[in-house]
mmCIF file of all heavy atoms in Angstrom:
data_model
loop_
_atom_site.group_PDB
_atom_site.id
_atom_site.type_symbol
_atom_site.label_atom_id
_atom_site.label_comp_id
_atom_site.label_asym_id
_atom_site.label_seq_id
_atom_site.Cartn_x
_atom_site.Cartn_y
_atom_site.Cartn_z
ATOM 1 N N ALA A 65 -0.984 -2.586 1.694
ATOM 2 C CA ALA A 65 -1.936 -2.236 2.757
ATOM 3 C C ALA A 65 -1.143 -1.963 4.033
ATOM 4 O O ALA A 65 -0.630 -2.890 4.664
ATOM 5 C CB ALA A 65 -2.920 -3.384 2.979
ATOM 6 N N LYS A 67 -1.815 -1.235 6.969
ATOM 7 C CA LYS A 67 -2.279 -1.857 8.210
ATOM 8 C C LYS A 67 -1.290 -2.907 8.700
ATOM 9 O O LYS A 67 -1.084 -3.084 9.894
ATOM 10 C CB LYS A 67 -3.646 -2.496 7.952
ATOM 11 C CG LYS A 67 -4.270 -3.190 9.137
ATOM 12 C CD LYS A 67 -5.633 -3.749 8.780
ATOM 13 C CE LYS A 67 -5.529 -4.996 7.931
ATOM 14 N NZ LYS A 67 -6.841 -5.557 7.560
ATOM 15 N N ALA A 68 -0.674 -3.631 7.755
ATOM 16 C CA ALA A 68 0.250 -4.715 8.124
ATOM 17 C C ALA A 68 1.462 -4.175 8.870
ATOM 18 O O ALA A 68 1.933 -4.797 9.828
ATOM 19 C CB ALA A 68 0.695 -5.471 6.880
ATOM 20 N N ALA A 109 -10.252 2.110 2.764
ATOM 21 C CA ALA A 109 -11.360 1.237 3.140
ATOM 22 C C ALA A 109 -11.598 1.363 4.644
ATOM 23 O O ALA A 109 -10.824 2.003 5.345
ATOM 24 C CB ALA A 109 -11.057 -0.213 2.768
ATOM 25 N N ARG A 155 -16.957 -0.667 -1.951
ATOM 26 C CA ARG A 155 -16.484 -1.960 -1.477
ATOM 27 C C ARG A 155 -17.673 -2.910 -1.452
ATOM 28 O O ARG A 155 -18.694 -2.637 -0.830
ATOM 29 C CB ARG A 155 -15.882 -1.837 -0.078
ATOM 30 C CG ARG A 155 -15.428 -3.183 0.449
ATOM 31 C CD ARG A 155 -14.591 -3.024 1.677
ATOM 32 N NE ARG A 155 -14.157 -4.307 2.195
ATOM 33 C CZ ARG A 155 -13.462 -4.434 3.309
ATOM 34 N NH1 ARG A 155 -13.129 -3.359 3.999
ATOM 35 N NH2 ARG A 155 -13.099 -5.614 3.725
ATOM 36 N N MET A 169 -13.461 -12.110 5.233
ATOM 37 C CA MET A 169 -13.983 -10.751 5.286
ATOM 38 C C MET A 169 -15.024 -10.506 4.208
ATOM 39 O O MET A 169 -15.311 -9.381 3.864
ATOM 40 C CB MET A 169 -12.832 -9.749 5.213
ATOM 41 C CG MET A 169 -11.915 -10.000 6.386
ATOM 42 S SD MET A 169 -10.720 -8.784 6.850
ATOM 43 C CE MET A 169 -11.453 -7.223 6.665
ATOM 44 N N HIS A 201 -14.185 -2.393 -5.167
ATOM 45 C CA HIS A 201 -13.180 -2.999 -4.278
ATOM 46 C C HIS A 201 -13.817 -4.254 -3.703
ATOM 47 O O HIS A 201 -14.902 -4.182 -3.112
ATOM 48 C CB HIS A 201 -12.843 -2.002 -3.160
ATOM 49 C CG HIS A 201 -11.951 -2.552 -2.086
ATOM 50 N ND1 HIS A 201 -12.110 -2.222 -0.755
ATOM 51 C CD2 HIS A 201 -10.901 -3.389 -2.131
ATOM 52 C CE1 HIS A 201 -11.186 -2.837 -0.028
ATOM 53 N NE2 HIS A 201 -10.436 -3.555 -0.839
ATOM 54 N N TYR A 203 -12.798 -7.435 -1.377
ATOM 55 C CA TYR A 203 -11.775 -8.061 -0.527
ATOM 56 C C TYR A 203 -12.423 -9.211 0.228
ATOM 57 O O TYR A 203 -13.418 -9.019 0.914
ATOM 58 C CB TYR A 203 -11.223 -7.021 0.462
ATOM 59 C CG TYR A 203 -10.143 -7.559 1.347
ATOM 60 C CD1 TYR A 203 -8.846 -7.697 0.864
ATOM 61 C CD2 TYR A 203 -10.402 -7.949 2.652
ATOM 62 C CE1 TYR A 203 -7.848 -8.217 1.661
ATOM 63 C CE2 TYR A 203 -9.418 -8.463 3.453
ATOM 64 C CZ TYR A 203 -8.136 -8.596 2.958
ATOM 65 O OH TYR A 203 -7.147 -9.111 3.753
ATOM 66 N N SER A 206 -7.924 -13.204 4.096
ATOM 67 C CA SER A 206 -6.525 -12.976 4.420
ATOM 68 C C SER A 206 -5.809 -14.304 4.654
ATOM 69 O O SER A 206 -6.449 -15.316 4.942
ATOM 70 C CB SER A 206 -6.524 -12.157 5.713
ATOM 71 O OG SER A 206 -5.307 -11.544 5.917
ATOM 72 N N GLN A 207 -4.487 -14.281 4.528
ATOM 73 C CA GLN A 207 -3.642 -15.424 4.920
ATOM 74 C C GLN A 207 -4.076 -16.733 4.249
ATOM 75 O O GLN A 207 -4.280 -17.758 4.893
ATOM 76 C CB GLN A 207 -3.624 -15.545 6.462
ATOM 77 C CG GLN A 207 -2.766 -16.663 7.070
ATOM 78 C CD GLN A 207 -1.322 -16.698 6.548
ATOM 79 O OE1 GLN A 207 -0.803 -15.714 6.038
ATOM 80 N NE2 GLN A 207 -0.679 -17.827 6.667
ATOM 81 N N GLY A 244 -5.111 -11.270 -0.013
ATOM 82 C CA GLY A 244 -5.198 -12.397 0.905
ATOM 83 C C GLY A 244 -4.053 -13.371 0.757
ATOM 84 O O GLY A 244 -4.104 -14.460 1.324
ATOM 85 N N PHE A 245 -2.999 -13.007 0.004
ATOM 86 C CA PHE A 245 -1.849 -13.894 -0.151
ATOM 87 C C PHE A 245 -1.205 -14.112 1.226
ATOM 88 O O PHE A 245 -0.859 -13.153 1.916
ATOM 89 C CB PHE A 245 -0.804 -13.290 -1.090
ATOM 90 C CG PHE A 245 -1.220 -13.185 -2.534
ATOM 91 C CD1 PHE A 245 -2.550 -13.257 -2.924
ATOM 92 C CD2 PHE A 245 -0.254 -13.008 -3.526
ATOM 93 C CE1 PHE A 245 -2.921 -13.156 -4.266
ATOM 94 C CE2 PHE A 245 -0.613 -12.902 -4.865
ATOM 95 C CZ PHE A 245 -1.940 -12.971 -5.239
ATOM 96 N N GLU A 284 -4.190 -5.803 -3.422
ATOM 97 C CA GLU A 284 -3.646 -5.087 -2.259
ATOM 98 C C GLU A 284 -3.170 -6.136 -1.261
ATOM 99 O O GLU A 284 -3.919 -7.004 -0.847
ATOM 100 C CB GLU A 284 -4.706 -4.190 -1.625
ATOM 101 C CG GLU A 284 -6.008 -4.929 -1.358
ATOM 102 C CD GLU A 284 -7.031 -4.126 -0.580
ATOM 103 O OE1 GLU A 284 -6.773 -2.978 -0.243
ATOM 104 O OE2 GLU A 284 -8.104 -4.697 -0.307
ATOM 105 N N LEU A 285 -1.899 -6.052 -0.912
ATOM 106 C CA LEU A 285 -1.306 -7.049 -0.028
ATOM 107 C C LEU A 285 -0.645 -6.367 1.161
ATOM 108 O O LEU A 285 -0.107 -5.267 1.046
ATOM 109 C CB LEU A 285 -0.254 -7.862 -0.780
ATOM 110 C CG LEU A 285 -0.735 -8.596 -2.036
ATOM 111 C CD1 LEU A 285 0.443 -9.238 -2.751
ATOM 112 C CD2 LEU A 285 -1.787 -9.641 -1.683
ATOM 113 N N GLY A 286 -0.695 -7.033 2.289
ATOM 114 C CA GLY A 286 -0.012 -6.548 3.480
ATOM 115 C C GLY A 286 1.077 -7.520 3.877
ATOM 116 O O GLY A 286 2.238 -7.386 3.510
ATOM 117 N N ARG A 287 0.669 -8.548 4.586
ATOM 118 C CA ARG A 287 1.664 -9.463 5.172
ATOM 119 C C ARG A 287 2.551 -10.131 4.132
ATOM 120 O O ARG A 287 3.711 -10.418 4.404
ATOM 121 C CB ARG A 287 0.969 -10.515 6.022
ATOM 122 C CG ARG A 287 0.323 -11.634 5.248
ATOM 123 C CD ARG A 287 -0.417 -12.599 6.140
ATOM 124 N NE ARG A 287 -1.657 -12.023 6.608
ATOM 125 C CZ ARG A 287 -2.094 -12.075 7.869
ATOM 126 N NH1 ARG A 287 -1.381 -12.684 8.784
ATOM 127 N NH2 ARG A 287 -3.240 -11.549 8.206
ATOM 128 N N TYR A 388 1.691 -7.129 11.342
ATOM 129 C CA TYR A 388 0.807 -7.329 12.495
ATOM 130 C C TYR A 388 1.597 -7.625 13.767
ATOM 131 O O TYR A 388 1.225 -8.471 14.567
ATOM 132 C CB TYR A 388 -0.253 -8.416 12.198
ATOM 133 C CG TYR A 388 -1.001 -8.106 10.933
ATOM 134 C CD1 TYR A 388 -0.792 -8.834 9.779
ATOM 135 C CD2 TYR A 388 -1.850 -7.008 10.889
ATOM 136 C CE1 TYR A 388 -1.437 -8.493 8.594
ATOM 137 C CE2 TYR A 388 -2.498 -6.661 9.717
ATOM 138 C CZ TYR A 388 -2.285 -7.404 8.576
ATOM 139 O OH TYR A 388 -2.911 -7.054 7.411
HETATM 140 C C1 PLP B 501 -6.223 -6.266 6.309
HETATM 141 C C2 PLP B 501 -6.518 -5.892 4.937
HETATM 142 C C3 PLP B 501 -5.547 -6.074 3.938
HETATM 143 C C4 PLP B 501 -4.213 -6.716 4.188
HETATM 144 O O1 PLP B 501 -4.337 -8.047 4.561
HETATM 145 P P1 PLP B 501 -3.046 -8.997 4.544
HETATM 146 O O2 PLP B 501 -3.515 -10.281 5.079
HETATM 147 O O3 PLP B 501 -2.023 -8.359 5.413
HETATM 148 O O4 PLP B 501 -2.576 -9.073 3.138
HETATM 149 C C5 PLP B 501 -5.857 -5.665 2.669
HETATM 150 N N1 PLP B 501 -7.053 -5.086 2.396
HETATM 151 C C6 PLP B 501 -7.999 -4.897 3.316
HETATM 152 C C7 PLP B 501 -9.280 -4.267 2.944
HETATM 153 C C8 PLP B 501 -7.780 -5.301 4.627
HETATM 154 O O5 PLP B 501 -8.721 -5.123 5.547
#
Side-chain angles (χ1 to χ4, degrees):
K67 180 178 75 180
R155 178 168 180 183
M169 300 196 39
H201 173 217
Y203 182 79
S206 198
Q207 181 51 21
F245 292 18
E284 50 173 1
L285 302 174
R287 78 183 74 225
Y388 306 108

